[in-house]
Amino acid sequence: MSTITPEILTAHNVTADEYGKILSILGREPNLTELGIFSVMWSEHCSYKSSRVHLKKLPTRSKYVLLGPGENAGIIDIGDGIGIAFKIESHNHPSFIEPFQGAATGVGGILRDIFTMGARPIAVMDSLRFGPLDEPRSRRILEGVVSGIAHYGNCFGVPTVGGECVFDKSYSGNPLVNVFALGVIDKEKIFKGQAHGVGNPVIYVGAKTGRDGIHGATMASDEFTEESKQKRPNVQMGDPFLEKLLLEACLEAMGTGAVVGIQDMGAAGLTCSTCEMGSRAGTGIEIDLAKVPQRETGMSPYEIMLSESQERMLLVADKGREKEIFDVFEKWGLDAAEIGIVTGDGVLRVRNHGEIVAEIPNRELADEAPIYNRPFTKPARKAQMEAPAYTAGDAKEELKKLLASDNICSKRWIYEQYDYTVRTNTTLGPGSDAAIVRIKGTETAVAMALDGNGRYCSLDPREGAKLGVAEACRNLSAVGAEPVAATNNLNFGNPQRPEIMAQLVEAIEGMADACTHFETPITGGNVSLYNETLGEGIFPTPVMGIVGLMKNAAPVPMRFQSEGKSVLLIGGYRETSKAHFGGTQYADTIVGSTWGLPPALDMDYEKRVHRAIREIVRSGLVESSHDLSDGGLAVALAESSFGGVGARIALPASETPEIQLFHEAPSRILVSTANAAAVVEVAKKHNVDVVEIGVTIQGRVVVDKLIDATIEELHEPWSTSLEKRLHA
Amino acid sequence: MKIVKFGVVVFPGSNCDHDAQFSVSANLGEPAEMLWHRDTKIPGGVDAVILPGGFSYGDYLRCGAIAKFSPIISAVKDFAARGGLVIGICNGFQILTESHLLPGALVRNSGLKFICKPVELSVATANTPFTNAYEKGQIVTFPIAHGEGQYTADQATLDELEREDRIVFRYVDNPNGSMNSIAGICNRERNVLGMMPHPERATDPLMGSTDGLGLFRSMVAAFALQKPPPPPRGRSGSDSPNNGPRVAPRLAAHK
């Protein structure tokens, strides 16, 4: 009997071509369960079918990289026998439909990716994008997402040490929630998601399986329409307490030596974990669904295989040592059930009470997903090249307006809801250029930064992606860390539109260029496409998570520490044109428009600046260090002053002082020092411009002839704006 | 010489257990062993018990409400009744109030949000084995990280706490609406302390504050004052149920 109708194929997002491929793999018609399995494994979310050909362009190797893309997370070697596992992942679609649970389970998913490797998670960061705060819906989504992240991370006991949060109307119907997690691992004890050893038992551990999240991966591979809110049952429910127990139990079970391979059940749940573990090891897996712990009665094989219930893991044990594993899970009060066996025939065979309900070759299912080299043209772009006519106003008032703007104001309201000090490793927390956690038992600390600028990418995805890499590396260098590896989250619209596909291709190529140049290979990441609502795509938003290494030391503060010190601009003024001014916060907030091109980046120069600032910071030559980014020099100056010590600076005369004050050319860092000559000498050595622009003073921020403000005048709008806007 | 042996209770969902152990062993230099929630007694040789922060048993129902039924809490009650030092931090404080080892209750922060930040505390009394290394009125900085830290009690209890000098720490700038700005209190016998702020997160210069070391040093000092010095702990005998915990001496009778 033929059960698969065109309507069913459409409902599963399976094209006619893809269905043809399924028929040829199976040599017969699939049943509904099998079609469901194919549809999730071949969804954009799981198979990267639109991006895979381009992702190959990214650099993935260096002397630090122990494990690159392909496993649950990448791992780098930091010495002392210790590795760092890290990855970023998106939970954009679920967070739009149900912000609290969507974001919470986003945290849960990435944490499992880390501890699946055998690593203990020690830090989380998040990169968030919402619509403007004057939209009630955006406020509601923001509040939900932040409490979801807080709920999950705080209870699990991992510090949320930093991140970024950006508002723009392009995200109104499509918020972005990208969560980065990082863990420490004994580099001799890395676990992989591989089902080795024919005859070894396959064990299911953790939460019971329910009907939640069915087809989550397929949903994440489709655009949103008015009906999307009805997809709420597709969103999973998270339980951080259970995840915490699962973490402890998994790490303890791994310690017994009886675990052969392990993989979390994330997107596409039991389907993905079984076929991927088998495929990676070249084996087959046979399971019986009747043995799967179930939360509800009467679940069909289709539902059990596609459920995305959270806090579950699949592991393969050394035959004969199952009891050691069961004992550990019993100690932690978790379900563990032997549900199947590793076979030698390379087939994923699913039984229900003994009767075969699905039988699919593993390798074809996991690795032979269709790959599309989708057509691409010129990147979509709405902004004009020409700058609109505008008249700059009073610089002080404009600075205050920028400091109060959604994208520049303090995010304290967000990060104070996150426990950022648990685990007692956070030496530099949220609100800084980069976050730093020390690694106990070593002299090494790990710094991390998340950066991405969708507005820049909307003007030029290639240059915008490079700027994101450069900024993350600059943030790390500004605190003294050397950038060594990266993870990326590519958030884009519908790849079936050639002008969107072009954004993706150019961004990946720009990123590949920059990651090669800055020696930060990509060890893994995530692609989130179809971020569109009613045909309106988001800004192309590649987000970089870059990890750097440094020796344990008290971090250099961002803020000026004492008066009478020289204020230096490392990297120099970097003159810029009106065209390159069109992507700035000033253009957006003050002029109310976006035009032209993103700031111009000279990657060679940028890298020299990184080297110079690292040497300066590590030699203890400066009292403060803060990189210039959104809002340019004036905003960096104000932010450096919020500890109470300000500065008086002078700028060369200019016909466009607003460009001088607020342009966002990269490669610049603001420092204060008692030893200007030594700082200048190091900068010169690296062939980097440095200008002494002023001196620190008590209580005021002064830019000769342009701005004269008390620190309080500037601090008040910056520190209170977000809360006021939320509760307006 | 090691002076005080700490025991850190691990509940399912504890997440500051490692931090407590690390701060005591690495930063203070005293031994610390982990105690499991299903244990029915405090092992002999343990002088002080830490109930760490976290979300014990998921904190379903109410924070600490399930933990109070755990076997280890019966043992902790017994240990405390015999004079052993017990400190509950954050979730540990919530467990102590739920278990009625301390009066009052901790409810949702007045702002209804989880708050994580360093806060200033005033040491309200130095007359406890947990604060003898501080001066009364000294200002210390500890991080807080809680959603349910608003201390609440009836007026009679508050009056009693004030009268008996049992408020150990007060917030300088009350972050959560706690009555009388209470951040930590002790029992009448002064050997059980509960507090929302995290002293164990302030024991390392790299973390920005070492003010918390004073609390643990106070506990060590309380034992160091004991005469005669503690005999070497043999393996035999110390587990005998009659052999109670060493009791830190009162530094001064409370008023």
Side-chain angles (χ1 to χ4, degrees), chain A residues 95-145:
Chain A
S95 301
F96 178 53
I97 295 175
E98 212 301 284
F100 181 92
Q101 285 296 343
T105 53
V107 177
I110 190 67
L111 288 172
R112 277 194 303 285
D113 279 339
I114 300 302
F115 70 80
T116 300
M117 314 294 302
R120 179 178 283 278
I122 59 163
V124 160
M125 299 208 290
D126 35 61
S127 173
L128 310 176
R129 300 288 184 281
F130 303 104
L133 283 172
D134 33 35
E135 300 169 352
R137 183 174 65 177
S138 295
R139 295 201 293 269
R140 185 183 62 79
I141 294 174
L142 167 71
E143 299 223 24
V145 163

Side-chain angles (χ1 to χ4, degrees), chain A residues 338-350:
Chain A
E338 188 172 328
I339 63 166
I341 191 168
V342 178
T343 64
D345 62 6
V347 171
L348 171 62
R349 190 172 294 106
V350 184

Side-chain angles (χ1 to χ4, degrees), chain A residues 379-424:
Chain A
R381 119 166 227 146
K382 284 185 191 155
Q384 297 181 346
M385 284 308 289
E386 303 304 312
Y390 70 87
T391 316
D394 176 65
K396 178 170 139 184
E397 289 311 309
E398 291 184 341
L399 174 58
K400 281 163 69 176
K401 206 170 162 191
L402 275 170
L403 288 168
S405 67
D406 293 351
N407 290 337
I408 292 181
C409 71
S410 168
K411 303 300 181 291
R412 188 177 48 85
W413 182 89
I414 295 175
Y415 67 70
E416 277 189 359
Q417 295 185 51
Y418 304 147
D419 189 341
Y420 56 85
T421 52
V422 65
R423 302 207 63 76
T424 61

Side-chain angles (χ1 to χ4, degrees), chain A residues 114-121 156 184-185 189 191 244-257 259 262 313 315 328-329 332 423, chain B residues 18:
Chain A
I114 300 302
F115 70 80
T116 300
M117 314 294 302
R120 179 178 283 278
F156 180 84
V184 274
I185 189 167
K189 292 181 185 156
F191 282 81
K244 165 71 173 165
L245 302 185
L246 193 60
L247 161 78
E248 298 299 340
C250 284
L251 293 185
E252 198 170 319
M254 290 169 180
T256 64
V259 175
I262 179 166
M313 291 275 199
L315 57 86
V328 170
F329 284 89
W332 289 97
R423 302 207 63 76
Chain B
H18 294 166

Side-chain angles (χ1 to χ4, degrees), chain B residues 13-246:
Chain B
S14 292
N15 62 30
C16 305
D17 46 344
H18 294 166
D19 299 355
Q21 187 190 34
F22 184 82
S23 69
V24 166
S25 57
N27 299 337
L28 186 71
E30 299 290 328
E33 73 172 273
M34 298 310 228
L35 311 177
W36 186 237
H37 68 118
R38 284 184 194 157
D39 294 349
T40 51
K41 62 181 180 186
I42 308 299
V46 167
D47 301 308
V49 169
I50 301 177
L51 303 178
F55 291 72
S56 54
Y57 304 93
D59 274 349
Y60 296 124
L61 194 61
R62 269 192 327 272
C63 299
I66 304 174
K68 75 173 163 185
F69 296 114
S70 65
I72 193 80
I73 285 298
S74 303
V76 168
K77 281 183 173 170
D78 185 45
F79 180 81
R82 289 181 291 153
L85 293 189
V86 176
I87 168 170
I89 303 167
C90 199
N91 191 228
F93 187 12
Q94 294 163 341
I95 295 169
L96 288 174
T97 57
E98 285 287 340
S99 313
H100 300 295
L101 279 163
L102 291 173
L106 293 143
V107 300
R108 196 89 188 271
N109 293 345
S110 53
L112 304 181
K113 300 254 182 252
F114 191 97
I115 311 170
C116 176
K117 63 178 178 183
V119 297
E120 286 189 337
L121 305 174
S122 154
V123 178
T125 175
N127 177 26
T128 76
F130 308 98
T131 50
N132 62 61
Y134 298 114
E135 299 284 332
K136 179 174 179 172
Q138 186 178 338
I139 304 297
V140 292
T141 300
F142 295 172
I144 56 167
H146 58 246
E148 278 93 8
Q150 180 180 182
Y151 183 78
T152 310
D154 60 24
Q155 195 56 46
T157 304
L158 291 171
D159 291 345
E160 186 177 286
L161 290 172
E162 296 281 2
R163 194 170 57 242
E164 296 179 356
D165 192 30
R166 287 165 54 193
I167 296 168
V168 183
F169 293 101
R170 281 187 221 263
Y171 298 109
V172 172
D173 184 8
N174 194 346
N176 55 23
S178 289
M179 289 181 172
N180 296 26
S181 292
I182 286 172
I185 56 170
C186 67
N187 63 345
R188 185 167 288 148
E189 293 72 27
R190 311 186 86 74
N191 64 321
V192 176
L193 167 71
M195 60 190 299
M196 289 312 296
H198 286 272
E200 83 283 12
R201 296 189 192 181
T203 58
D204 187 334
L206 264 180
M207 299 300 109
S209 168
T210 53
D211 290 351
L213 276 177
L215 185 140
F216 297 105
R217 285 188 182 135
S218 296
M219 296 166 79
V220 173
F223 280 102
L225 282 173
Q226 197 174 37
K227 290 172 192 170
R233 284 175 214 125
R235 291 195 73 75
S236 63
S238 60
D239 282 336
S240 148
N242 295 328
N243 206 348
R246 291 188 301 151

Side-chain angles (χ1 to χ4, degrees), chain A residues 208-239:
Chain A
K208 293 177 168 57
T209 295
R211 287 195 171 93
D212 47 342
I214 292 172
H215 269 301
T218 321
M219 171 187 78
S221 308
D222 200 4
E223 289 180 37
F224 277 128
T225 59
E226 288 292 351
E227 289 83 51
S228 292
K229 284 177 197 143
Q230 295 166 10
K231 293 193 175 180
R232 203 158 286 152
N234 287 9
V235 179
Q236 315 86 331
M237 302 282 282
D239 180 350

Side-chain angles (χ1 to χ4, degrees), chain A residues 324-386:
Chain A
E324 293 170 60
I325 289 172
F326 287 129
D327 285 350
V328 170
F329 284 89
E330 200 206 328
K331 173 186 164 189
W332 289 97
L334 293 173
D335 272 325
E338 188 172 328
I339 63 166
I341 191 168
V342 178
T343 64
D345 62 6
V347 171
L348 171 62
R349 190 172 294 106
V350 184
R351 294 177 186 270
N352 194 22
H353 296 281
E355 181 197 340
I356 292 178
V357 293
E359 205 166 18
I360 305 173
N362 250 334
R363 198 183 54 77
E364 284 80 351
L365 176 60
D367 300 333
E368 302 256 305
I371 290 180
Y372 296 117
N373 194 349
R374 296 196 187 278
F376 52 94
T377 50
K378 269 179 57 137
R381 119 166 227 146
K382 284 185 191 155
Q384 297 181 346
M385 284 308 289
E386 303 304 312

